[in-house]
Amino acid sequence: MTPRIAVVDDEPRMARVLAMLLGREGYEVEAFEAPDDFLVSFEQQRFDLVMTDLKMPQMSGIELLEKIRARDADVPVIVMTAHGTIQTAIEAMKLGAFDYVLKPFKVQDVIRLLERGLEQKRLEQENIQLREAVSLYELSEEMAATLELADIYQILINAARQEVGADAAAIWVRKPQIT
C-alpha cells in the first residue's frame, strides 16, 4: 500500500513543490495551505505521516501537532521551519514530533526522514500484532490445560479484564431451551 503523506504549509509554493517531489518518490501526497483544512481531512481519512510548517498565521505547527496527537497518537509528525531554535525543536519533540527539519532542506534528507518515520510506525504496528499473537497463544495454552468449563470462563474473564483494563468482567451463559 502506498504511504499517504500530508504536507501542511501556509506557503502555497512550498506545499505544492514538496507534494510534487514526494509524489515523484512514490508517495501519495496531499498538500494543505491551512491547518484547519488539514484537520477536516484528517478526521475523514488516514495519513501515514504528516509534515507541518512551524510558523503559520492561523495556527502554529506546535498547536497543530497537539491537535494531531489528541486525535491519533501514532501518526509520525515532522515539523519544518525556516525560523528554528533549539527551544522550538525541544518543544516539538516533547509534544511527540517524530523529527524536526530546518528549511531550506535537501529533498533526500526529507525522504530519509519520511522513510525513518514510516519504518518506525510499521515496526510499532508489527510489535503490537506480535504481542497480540503471543497473548492469544498463551490464552489458548492456558485454556487447553483444563477441561473445567468454570476454569475456562475464569481464564476468559481474566484475559478480557487485562486486555481492556476493566475492574470487573462477567460472562453470561444462557442455557439452551429444549423444545
Side-chain angles (χ1 to χ4, degrees):
M1 184 184 319
T2 303
R4 295 198 68 235
I5 311 297
V7 175
V8 186
D9 196 319
D10 62 313
E11 296 176 37
R13 186 168 182 264
M14 174 60 90
R16 282 193 310 270
V17 167
L18 193 51
M20 180 190 68
L21 291 170
L22 295 176
R24 285 185 187 165
E25 293 294 323
Y27 297 105
E28 185 179 328
V29 185
E30 194 166 342
F32 300 90
E33 296 171 22
D36 289 333
D37 293 343
F38 162 73
L39 288 171
V40 169
S41 186
F42 191 61
E43 286 289 327
Q44 299 168 352
Q45 55 188 318
R46 170 196 58 78
F47 289 99
D48 298 302
L49 188 137
V50 177
M51 294 187 69
T52 182
D53 190 21
L54 182 66
K55 294 210 181 239
M56 297 181 284
Q58 308 91 346
M59 174 187 312
S60 76
I62 297 294
E63 291 171 306
L64 182 60
L65 174 60
E66 290 174 327
K67 290 180 187 256
I68 291 169
R69 285 288 160 257
R71 292 182 173 119
D72 184 347
D74 297 329
V75 66
V77 177
I78 297 173
V79 176
M80 311 175 286
T81 187
H83 311 285
T85 66
I86 297 292
Q87 188 58 35
T88 55
I90 290 170
E91 184 179 1
M93 300 303 275
K94 280 183 180 178
L95 290 172
F98 173 74
D99 213 326
Y100 186 89
V101 63
L102 294 173
K103 296 178 188 177
F105 44 73
K106 294 178 183 171
V107 175
Q108 287 306 96
D109 292 342
V110 171
I111 290 167
R112 275 194 291 277
L113 276 177
L114 288 175
E115 289 172 352
R116 276 190 25 237
L118 293 169
E119 179 65 9
Q120 179 178 321
K121 182 177 180 181
R122 186 192 68 75
L123 289 172
E124 287 171 355
Q125 289 172 335
E126 190 176 287
N127 194 8
I128 289 168
Q129 291 171 342
L130 287 172
R131 281 194 308 249
E132 289 172 351
V134 167
S135 293
L136 285 174
Y137 176 76
E138 290 172 348
L139 181 64
S140 67
E141 288 288 307
E142 196 174 346
M143 288 172 54
T146 184
L147 297 175
E148 293 295 322
L149 196 54
D151 292 340
I152 291 173
Y153 289 154
Q154 192 59 51
I155 291 167
L156 289 173
I157 287 170
N158 292 342
R161 283 184 50 228
Q162 183 177 5
E163 188 64 31
V164 298
D167 293 331
I171 294 178
W172 178 57
V173 180
R174 182 174 170 210
K175 291 187 180 189
Q177 293 179 352
I178 301 174
T179 55

